[in-house]
């Protein structure tokens, strides 16, 4: 019997994939072998930080013999290759939006709805980064007082768009600081440096919300298992490298005091409360970057609504917003006996 699972990481050269490789190693995930996949552009590249792993290409032959496949290579790649990995015997944990709202696919946050893992049919979806951090903080409040309505404004980092968006922000900032013309924007509709864009994601024809805003609304309802929850969201892209921040107005069915909310959040798994505004203590993206926790502060009563509280929620979009949760789900599958290691050596 092989000692541990054979794990594929698809999108291994990307921001999220790189972190998934690092976290699998750091957290001691019981893997007998980890294989890195990326696009044809990267095939043959050596990943120096990962003991010289050599990037493979996706093919019917190369995807055979895996127990688990962690995907972070965009929706099109997940749409095409996740079912093929499942047909070849693997369980897929997918970071893209491709499968999240599929009724057969559980959408799981490790601290919020881990029991949903039991009902998977091969593919498990990791939520959108802005949804992920918010539901970790909202879950204990929802359990106590029942959330009736959310009004959300996000302040989202450029790494949430991908590596090229990070480069675009840095290039534009550098050019502007040196009083040079910037190149025409490529990743966003407008200049992102020294700006705030009231468009995170894209507008489909005839839509007055972006896909990012729809994801935040729909995924929150699915994860918290409350299709009737009323949600209004404005997703804003800001010139921050890593760490999404969110101002969330939470209206509950039963009134909840800020003191009780603070108590609940202090006891909640995966949450750190940083809330002493007089001492300028509240969560900041620059501090959340590199951490696996969700940080909550500015917990206060909405002065216009005795059923509502205001919160400020910050997390690293690449870690808890993506890679950390994916690895936590793999750990949960292992702990719950939901994935069995292969009995014999896999085919080459
Ligand atoms: N960034 C976030 O905060 C965040 C949060 C939650 C979810 N996600 C999701 O995670 C995914 C990756 O995001 P990211 O920020 O890591 O993007 P990224 O840095 O741009 O990396 C994309 C990865 O996908 C690979 N890839 C692209 N096309 C491929 C193909 N046809 N076949 C195989 N691999 C392919 C790339 O390989 P090459 O290097 O060879 O091009 C690279 O490894 C996206 O679906 C995104 O929506 C991201």
């Amino acid at each position: 019997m092989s000692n541990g699972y054979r794990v594929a990481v698809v999108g291994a050269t990307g921001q999220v994939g790189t972190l998934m490789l690092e976290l699998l190693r750091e957290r001691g995930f019981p893997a007998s072998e980890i294989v890195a996949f990326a696009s044809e552009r990267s095939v043959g590249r050596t990943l120096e930080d990962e003991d010289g792993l050599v990037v493979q290409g996706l093919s019917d032959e190369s995807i055979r013999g895996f127990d688990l496949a962690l995907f972070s290579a965009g929706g099109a790649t997940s749409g095409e290759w996740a079912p093929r990995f499942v047909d070849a015997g693997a369980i897929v944990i997918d970071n893209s939006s491709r499968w999240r709202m599929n009724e057969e696919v559980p959408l799981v946050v490790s601290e919020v709805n881990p029991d949903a893992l039991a009902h998977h049919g091969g593919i498990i979806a990791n939520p959108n980064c802005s949804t992920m951090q918010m539901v970790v903080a909202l879950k204990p409040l929802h359990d106590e007082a029942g959330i009736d309505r959310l009004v959300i404004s996000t302040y989202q980092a450029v790494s949430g768009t991908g590596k090229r968006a990070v480069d675009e922000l840095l290039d534009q900032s550098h050019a502007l600081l040196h009083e040079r013309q910037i190149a025409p924007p490529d990743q966003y509709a407008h200049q992102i440096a020294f700006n705030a864009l009231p468009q995170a994601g894209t507008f489909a024809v005839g839509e007055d919300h972006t896909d990012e805003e729809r994801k935040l609304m729909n995924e929150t309802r699915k994860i918290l298992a409350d299709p009737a929850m009323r949600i209004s969201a404005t997703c804003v892209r800001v010139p921050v490298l890593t760490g999404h921040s969110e101002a969330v107005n939470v209206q509950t069915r039963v009134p909840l005091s800020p003191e009780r909310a603070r108590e609940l959040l202090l006891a909640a798994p995966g949450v750190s409360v940083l809330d002493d505004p007089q001492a300028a203590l509240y969560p900041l993206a620059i501090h959340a970057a590199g951490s696996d926790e969700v940080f909550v502060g500015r917990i206060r009563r909405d002065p216009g609504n005795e059923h509502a509280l205001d919160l400020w929620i910050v997390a690293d979009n690449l870690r808890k917003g993506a890679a950390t949760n994916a690895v936590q789900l793999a750990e949960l599958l292992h702990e719950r006996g939901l994935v069995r290691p292969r009995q014999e050596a896999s085919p080459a």
Side-chain angles (χ1 to χ4, degrees), residues 178-342:
H178 291 84
E179 297 178 5
R180 288 204 298 266
Q181 283 277 327
I182 62 165
D186 173 54
Q187 295 294 299
Y188 299 114
H190 303 279
Q191 173 188 318
I192 181 67
F194 309 108
N195 207 357
L197 307 179
Q199 177 187 354
T202 54
F203 289 101
V205 177
E207 254 283 19
D208 57 3
H209 285 78
T210 64
D211 56 348
E212 185 80 5
E213 288 159 351
R214 292 284 179 209
K215 285 180 210 170
L216 186 53
M217 297 188 254
N218 295 334
E219 293 179 21
T220 299
R221 293 189 190 105
K222 179 167 175 176
I223 296 161
L224 295 178
D226 189 345
M229 191 178 285
R230 297 179 296 151
I231 309 178
S232 168
T234 305
C235 292
V236 178
R237 190 71 62 187
V238 292
V240 168
L241 290 176
T242 297
H244 289 350
S245 304
E246 302 176 327
V248 185
N249 181 270
V250 187
Q251 183 175 316
T252 51
R253 296 195 178 95
V254 176
L256 185 63
S257 69
E259 294 71 30
R260 179 64 184 144
R262 203 170 285 116
E263 258 174 39
L264 292 165
L265 288 163
L266 278 165
V271 174
S272 278
V273 175
L274 294 179
D275 196 19
D276 186 358
Q278 302 300 327
L281 182 68
Y282 29 67
L284 294 175
I286 53 169
H287 296 152
S291 168
D292 291 317
E293 299 276 282
V294 172
F295 298 91
V296 186
R298 300 293 319 275
I299 304 164
R300 62 203 190 277
R301 162 78 53 229
D302 170 349
N305 185 344
E306 66 176 27
H307 276 249
L309 297 175
D310 284 298
L311 310 175
W312 178 247
I313 303 170
V314 182
D316 182 324
N317 49 296
L318 299 173
R319 293 184 80 98
K320 184 58 196 173
T324 304
N325 196 66
V327 173
Q328 287 171 319
L329 297 186
E331 291 169 349
L332 280 172
L333 287 169
H334 164 61
E335 285 158 22
R336 295 180 176 206
L338 293 168
V339 49
R340 275 186 303 120
R342 283 166 190 280

Side-chain angles (χ1 to χ4, degrees), residues 10-17 37-43 45 58 71-75 77 81 95-97 100 127-129 159-164 244 317-318 321-322:
V10 182
T13 53
Q15 303 180 108
V16 177
F37 290 95
S39 80
E40 290 303 319
R41 290 180 290 275
S42 305
V43 171
R45 194 178 130 195
L58 293 164
F71 269 66
S72 66
T77 307
W81 288 95
N95 269 293
S96 83
S97 59
R100 290 182 192 144
N128 181 263
C129 37
S159 58
T161 309
K163 264 195 306 219
R164 288 198 292 167
H244 289 350
N317 49 296
L318 299 173

Side-chain angles (χ1 to χ4, degrees), residues 43-62:
V43 171
R45 194 178 130 195
T46 301
L47 304 179
E48 302 297 346
D49 291 345
E50 293 299 329
D51 285 339
L53 267 188
V54 177
V55 175
Q56 310 292 312
L58 293 164
S59 72
D60 286 338
E61 291 69 42
S62 67

Side-chain angles (χ1 to χ4, degrees), residues 78-93:
S78 295
E80 183 179 351
W81 288 95
R84 295 205 205 178
F85 266 94
V86 173
D87 287 346
I91 297 177
V92 169
I93 299 172

